[in-house]
Structure formats: C-alpha cells, structure tokens
C-alpha cells in the first residue's frame, strides 16, 4: 500500500528547486556560450572542478562565500584552457570539450582525495521573517539559500542581456554568422572567449552548489552527469533563457519525485526510478527535435564552427 | 569634380598568386566608378584592401587628400567608406532593425532607429520593413537592407560588389535609380561587376583589371560591350552555338510534385509539373531562394518524393535514392561546388568515384565490392583531359582547384557518365568567362547526343543562350515551359518578379 500522503507538495517543490539549481546554473552559462557560436562539451568537467575547488576553499577558510568564489574561479580557469585551445589555437571544439570533461573529472578526484567524508561549513538560508512561515508558499518561495535566488536572477539577467542590450545583440550576431560579424568589425574571438569564461563561472558555481549546499559533502564523481543534463537542457530550451528554468525544474522535479517515491516504497525497482529523470530528458529531447526544421530554426547558425579571420 | 580616393601601387600577394600587382586608380566625388574584370582579376582583393579587411603588402591610398590605411573595417567605416557585399553579410535569424543596428557605431534606441530606417527607405525608394526576420526576405530585399545599413552611416564612398547577380531585371532598374540619386547627391560609388551592359548604362568611368593589374581606364558609355570584353579577357571568346531542337521521346516527367524544404528558411515546392524530352535543354530561371535548391534535391534523390511524382522513362523513381537514380541514368550536379558537388579535402579521383561508381562500374562486382582504383584514376584523367581541367594531377584535393576548374570537373564528371537526364544548378556561377563558355558548349553537345538537360540558373543570358525552352520558378511554383525563341530577357524577368512583384513595386 502506497502512502501518497507522505508526499508533501510544498516540500517537494522546495526540494526540486534545490535539485534543479546546479543544472540551471550550468545550463544558463552554456546557453550564453552556445549563443556566441561555441559548443563547449566540458560542462561536466567544469562543474566537478567547481565542486571540488569550492569545497576545499570553504573547508580551509571556514567560509562558504569564499568557497563559492573559489568555485567560480576554478570553473573559469578550466574554461580558459578550453578558450585558448579552441579560439586561439583553433582546435576542434567537440574533442577539446570532451577532453576537458575527462581532465576535470581526474583532476577533481585528485584534489579532493583528502577531503572525502568531511562536512563543509553550512551555508545560511535566507529565511525571510514571517513570510517563510507561511504555510505552503513559505518554504517554496522564502526559505532558500542565496545562491538559489541568484540562479533565478542570472536567468533573468541573461534574458535581459541577450534581448535588450547591444552587447547581447553582438553576441547573438557572432553566433549567427561569425564572418559577417568580423566584416562589421566585431572581435569574434574576444567575444567568444568572454562567453566561454562566463560559462565556466556558472558551471563552477553550479558544481559548488552541489558540494556545499545540496549534498553537502565531497565524493568523487559527485556531479554524476549533471553537466551532460545541462547540455541537453540547452537544446531542450531551444536556446531561450526562460525555458532553461522550465527544463531544469522539470528535471529537478522528476529527480525529487523518484527519490520520494523510493522513500515511500513504490513497487517499482529502484534502478528504474533512478533512471527516470534521464529517460524523461531523452524523451523530451527526441520529441523536441522530431521536427528538424523547427529545431534548427533557433540554433545559432555557427554553433561549433571554428572561426579563422582571413587576412 | 575633385578626386576623393586616390589609390597608388597597391600590391597583395597570396601564396602562389599575386592577387594585386601595383594597382593605381582614382575615384572622383559623386562619380559611379566601375571596377571591371574576370573572376580572379583582383577586384575583390583590391576592394577588401580599401575596406580594411585585407592589409596590402605595399602601396598607399589617400582619401580626400589625407593618408588612408584602415587597419579594420570599423576604421574604414568611420572614414566614410561603406560596402555592400556580394555574399550578403547579414544575420538571418535577426530582424532587419537588429541587423542595421549591428552595422552602426553608435546606434540610437530602437524606436529612433526604426524611424530613421523608414526615412531612408522612403527617400531612396528602398522598401524594407524593420521588424521582419532577414531569413524570410528575398535576395533583393536583403540587398536593400544592406544598402540602408550603409546609407545610415552617410558614407562618402559606397562599394557595391557584384550587386545585380541575384536580382531580377526590375530590381536592377530600381537599384540603378537609387545609385544615380546617391551619386547626384555627391556620394561616390565603386561598382564592381563583370556585366558589361550594366556598366555601360550606369557608370561614369571604368577601371579594367586583368591578372591583378590595371589594363585600361575608359569611359564605358563610349565603348561597346565587345570592346570592353576584349579588354577584360584579353582575347576573343568561343560563343556557344545553339543546336536545332529535334526533341525525341519524353524522358523525365514531373507531375504535381509538392515538398516541404528541410532547411528552416527554405522554400516549399508547390505542385511542380513539367516534362523533359530527349535532346531538349530546358532552362529554369528564377531569383535565388525560390525553390531551386529544393528542386535539385528532389530530382537528385537526396530528398525522396511521393510515388508517381517523378517518372524517368515511364518508371517511377520518386522513392529511389541518388545511387538508384544514377543507375537508371538520372544524374545531377548541385550548385555548391565545395561541400555538395565535391568533397573539398578528397582527391579528384575520389571525387570522381563518388558519383561515377555506379554507372562507370568503378567498384568491382561480386562478393568483394572493392574499389577499382586504376579504373577510377583513368576516369578522373579522362574528365581532366576532356574538359581541360587545369590541375597537376588526379591526386590533388578538390579544394586546391580554382572555381572554374572545379566546376568543369564536376560537370564533366557527370557528362562522361553518359546520362539520360542531367540536372545542373547554376553551372557557371562564379566561373570565369572562358570556363563558362566551355561548360555551356559541353551541355549543348550533350543534348545533341540525345540527353535531356535541365539547367537551373539565375543567369538569364545563359538560359537564352543554351535552352530550347524555359520555365520560371518563383515562390516554389513553376510556370509552364515556353519556347526560348522569340522571348526576351525582359519577358523572363517579368515572370521572375511576378510573385515577388508586390515588394519590387512598393
């Protein structure tokens, strides 16, 4: 007999937001990277480096804020390697991105060896007085940590940047037709490097959210494919910032639902429940890209193509 | 008139070629100055140097008396040099207004910009809607967007690189009116083209380039098209002789073919119906992006079509793929040479094998299925000799050939397979005059041997020259074929513009 009463909707929504935040941060960063015309498959590697850098820095200094900053720096540093290789030395983006993921996973495992099993300093919640005690809405809207609010602000900020600002227009133009952008005098390589660094920063922050806030602990390989899900969500979102939010929360929702279902003992194998979020992602992607025409309409036309200025 | 731009001794070398060799000429204020020459004569390189896209090895330019050496296009724009590109430099997924804002140094806010776009487009008769997505616009409309983008910067010199190659005759007339208005207001225009009649009508003076050098400067109104051509090419040209049509039985029959395009900004084919007889050359005219690419894909078999829509000698080939159609004798040569017709990094032998494997039996029959390399090399050699392809050998990569040579190879590779029906798209696009004439002659000879030839082209003069009858494709629809004899370029032009006439007239 299943005890569905054990599923509290408010708690479920609150926890799915926490589960979705790392993916959302990494995905919104990758969206900006892809909008500039670069395909960085190293998201997973940048996330795990962010997770370990943030964890180590937070444990050593005792400050979660220092940890988060270190995670951003770590993600950017790894992204910088990718930027130099693909934008300056013109290496293949797909191969370099894959290598970045492998490199990041290995390096993180080495860095985090002596930190397994330690508890990081807790990150305070921003409990809004009175409001967070509201039944239902309180835990959903007013009782989270600062990074979660920041992630929503970043999505809004990216939307505003791409849609309203001139710099955002130039970035989109670069991803759309790099030769034309170059002919108009825009610095294609510089714009792309900046976008890649932003992507690295967001992936790093997303990784640290996992190790410092959501779990919070360091275990080897703890990102467990979150970076790949983030990449998939960018496609799911058809390169639109608000849909990143929907996609990430959908994935987070299925993840939390299956965990809750496991907890109350539904008669479905644990293995099937655990794979549910990934299967849902794959299904959604298949449905989304069934119409090849529509799928390619939103994709940046120069995505993944190397740019070499002719002189 | 005073001299605005003075160019002296401009030289630029690329590995193996001297693209520009000490070029000197000048442009006066308010003058329409033509830069005339064959492909590879150095026009594009020269213009890129003026626009700051390419740095010269030596030489200097003076703009209004002061030294002018733009390190990048932005600097050239700031000094008043604007350029409309041959291959449009627009962003398809963005709106007209966004595209124009990108081309400006210091764009005003969106509302002001839209108003200024409207102002410029009404005062120069350049109808554009600022809110539309560029990917949905016709070639003529896109060009207007580029011109408006340039005009908003109030340039002193406007460079136009082969502006009419994608326009209908009516759109060309509209463009010429705009350019003359601009020149009358004091803007200088550098007009690059190899179309002689246009230059005679439009331009005040002409500088003629050949092999990277200035060979003549003249007043085009005082020359004939023939004398200009002689200066440009340096020798006479073979002119294709049109054969007398003796059409045989119907080979290819297309009826009610409707297909959607697989590319996001493509054109849907709507109820295409025509038939092609043995020995006939049927021309399909139309402005780029009206369904030509989709029609070629449907005929080559790259896109399958519903049963019964494509019949080759009374056999339904609609559901068959490219290899099966080739086996039955329906061959096609697409427009895009590098990347579609030929694989750029593969050798000429390998490229010959790709399409000729079936009909020339270059793959051994039986269980092994191995490639017969000696036979493949011989076939590639045969193509090279028969079509005078200039290349060191069959092992050279396709991308190492010049446009004209590769085009001769790509067309020759199909012709020597003895097709029953050959479909070609833009057979002489971007090819120098001598190679173009050779390709046209080869197509006519092929038809004389009883092949049905379908030529899709935007070059009306070419279609007039080689086709027995022609249709016009516009908005994915095809008009009924009519005999070429007695028709004029203007007639075809009117048909081409008929579906897009609303915007051309606006």
């Amino acid at each position: 007999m299943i005890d569905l009463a054990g599923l509290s909707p408010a708690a479920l929504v609150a926890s799915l937001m926490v589960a979705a935040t790392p993916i959302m941060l990494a995905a919104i960063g990758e969206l900006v990277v892809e909008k500039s015309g670069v395909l960085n498959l190293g998201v997973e590697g940048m996330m795990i480096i962010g997770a370990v850098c943030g964890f180590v820095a937070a444990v050593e200094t005792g400050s979660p804020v220092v940890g988060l900053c270190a995670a951003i720096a770590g993600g950017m540093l790894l992204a910088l390697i990718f930027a130099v290789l693909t934008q300056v030395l013109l290496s293949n983006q797909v191969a370099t991105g894959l290598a970045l993921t492998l490199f990041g996973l290995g390096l993180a495992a080495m860095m985090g060896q002596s930190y397994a099993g330690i508890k990081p300093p807790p990150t305070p919640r921003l409990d809004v007085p009175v409001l967070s005690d509201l039944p239902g809405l309180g835990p959903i809207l007013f009782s989270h940590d600062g990074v979660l609010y920041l992630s929503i602000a970043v999505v809004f900020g990216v939307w505003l940047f791409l849609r309203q600002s001139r710099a955002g227009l130039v970035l989109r133009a670069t991803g759309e037709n790099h030769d034309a952008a170059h002919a108009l005098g825009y610095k294609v390589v510089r714009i792309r490097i900046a976008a890649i660094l932003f992507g690295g920063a967001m992936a790093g922050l997303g990784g640290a959210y996992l190790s410092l806030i959501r779990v919070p602990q360091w275990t080897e390989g703890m990102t467990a494919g979150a970076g790949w899900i983030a990449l998939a969500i960018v496609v799911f979102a058809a390169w639109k910032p608000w849909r990143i939010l929907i996609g990430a929360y959908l994935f987070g929702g299925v993840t939390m639902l299956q965990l809750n279902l496991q907890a109350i003992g539904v008669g479905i194998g644990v293995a099937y429940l655990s794979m549910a979020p990934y299967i849902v992602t794959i299904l959604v992607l298949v449905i989304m890209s069934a119409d090849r025409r529509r799928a390619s309409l939103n994709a940046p036309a120069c995505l993944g193509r190397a740019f070499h200025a002719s002189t | 008139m005073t001299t605005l731009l003075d160019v002296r001794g401009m030289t630029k070398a690329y590995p193996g070629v001297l693209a520009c060799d000490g070029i000197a000429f000048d442009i006066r204020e308010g003058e329409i100055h033509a830069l005339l020459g064959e492909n590879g004569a150095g026009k594009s390189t020269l213009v890129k140097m003026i626009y700051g896209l390419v740095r010269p090895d030596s030489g200097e330019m003076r703009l209004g008396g002061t030294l002018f050496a733009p390190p990048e296009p932005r600097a050239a724009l700031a000094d008043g040099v604007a350029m409309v590109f041959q291959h449009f430099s627009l962003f398809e997924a963005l709106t007209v207004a966004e595209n124009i804002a990108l081309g400006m140094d210091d764009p005003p806010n969106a509302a002001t910009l839209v108003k200024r776009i409207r102002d410029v487009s009404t005062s120069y008769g350049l109808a554009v809607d600022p809110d539309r997505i560029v990917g949905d616009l016709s070639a003529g409309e896109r060009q207007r967007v580029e011109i408006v983008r340039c005009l908003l910067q109030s340039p002193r010199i406007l460079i136009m690189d082969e502006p009419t190659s994608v326009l209908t005759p009516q759109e060309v007339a509209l463009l010429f009116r705009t350019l003359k208005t601009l020149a009358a207001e004091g803007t200088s225009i550098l007009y690059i083209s190899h179309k002689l009649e246009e230059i005679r009508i439009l331009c005040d003076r002409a500088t003629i380039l050949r092999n990277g050098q200035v060979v003549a400067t003249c007043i085009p109104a005082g020359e004939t098209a023939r004398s200009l051509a002689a200066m440009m090419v340096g020798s006479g040209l073979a002119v294709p002789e049109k054969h007398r049509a003796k059409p045989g039985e119907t080979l290819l029959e297309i009826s009610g073919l409707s297909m959607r395009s697989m590319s996001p900004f493509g054109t849907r084919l709507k109820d295409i119906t025509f038939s092609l007889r043995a020995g006939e050359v049927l021309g399909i005219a139309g402005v780029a992006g009206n369904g030509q690419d989709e029609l070629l894909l449907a005929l080559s078999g790259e896109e399958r079509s519903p049963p019964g829509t494509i019949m080759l000698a009374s056999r339904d080939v609609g559901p068959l793929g490219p290899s099966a159609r080739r086996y039955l004798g329906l061959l096609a040569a697409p427009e895009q040479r590098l990347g579609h017709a030929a694989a750029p990094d593969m050798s000429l032998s390998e490229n010959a094998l790709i399409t000729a494997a079936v009909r020339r039996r270059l793959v051994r029959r039986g269980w092994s299925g191995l490639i017969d390399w000696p036979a493949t090399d011989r076939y590639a050699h045969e193509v090279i000799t028969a079509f005078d392809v200039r290349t060191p050998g069959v092992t050279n990569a396709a991308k190492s050939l010049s446009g004209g040579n590769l085009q001769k190879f790509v067309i020759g590779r199909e012709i020597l397979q003895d097709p029953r029906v050959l479909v070609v798209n833009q057979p002489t696009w971007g090819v120098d005059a001598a190679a173009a004439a050779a390709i046209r002659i080869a197509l006519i000879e092929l038809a004389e041997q009883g092949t049905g030839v379908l030529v899709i082209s935007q070059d009306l003069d070419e279609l007039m020259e080689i086709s027995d009858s022609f249709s016009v494709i516009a908005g994915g629809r095809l008009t009924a074929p009519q005999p070429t004899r007695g028709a004029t370029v203007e007639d075809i032009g009117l048909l081409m513009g008929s579906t897009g006439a609303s915007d051309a007239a606006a």
Side-chain angles (χ1 to χ4, degrees), chain B residues 139-154:
Chain B
E141 289 171 305
R142 288 180 196 208
Q143 187 178 59
R144 276 176 248 157
V145 175
E146 290 234 30
I147 297 175
V148 169
R149 178 161 81 179
C150 290
L151 293 186
L152 281 173
Q153 310 272 16
S154 324

Side-chain angles (χ1 to χ4, degrees), chain B residues 348-368:
Chain B
L348 292 179
S349 278
E350 288 165 327
N351 272 297
L353 177 80
I354 291 173
T355 75
V358 184
R359 278 184 86 73
R360 295 289 296 218
R361 302 232 175 94
L362 299 178
V363 173
R364 291 203 175 88
R365 298 170 119 192
W367 59 270
S368 79

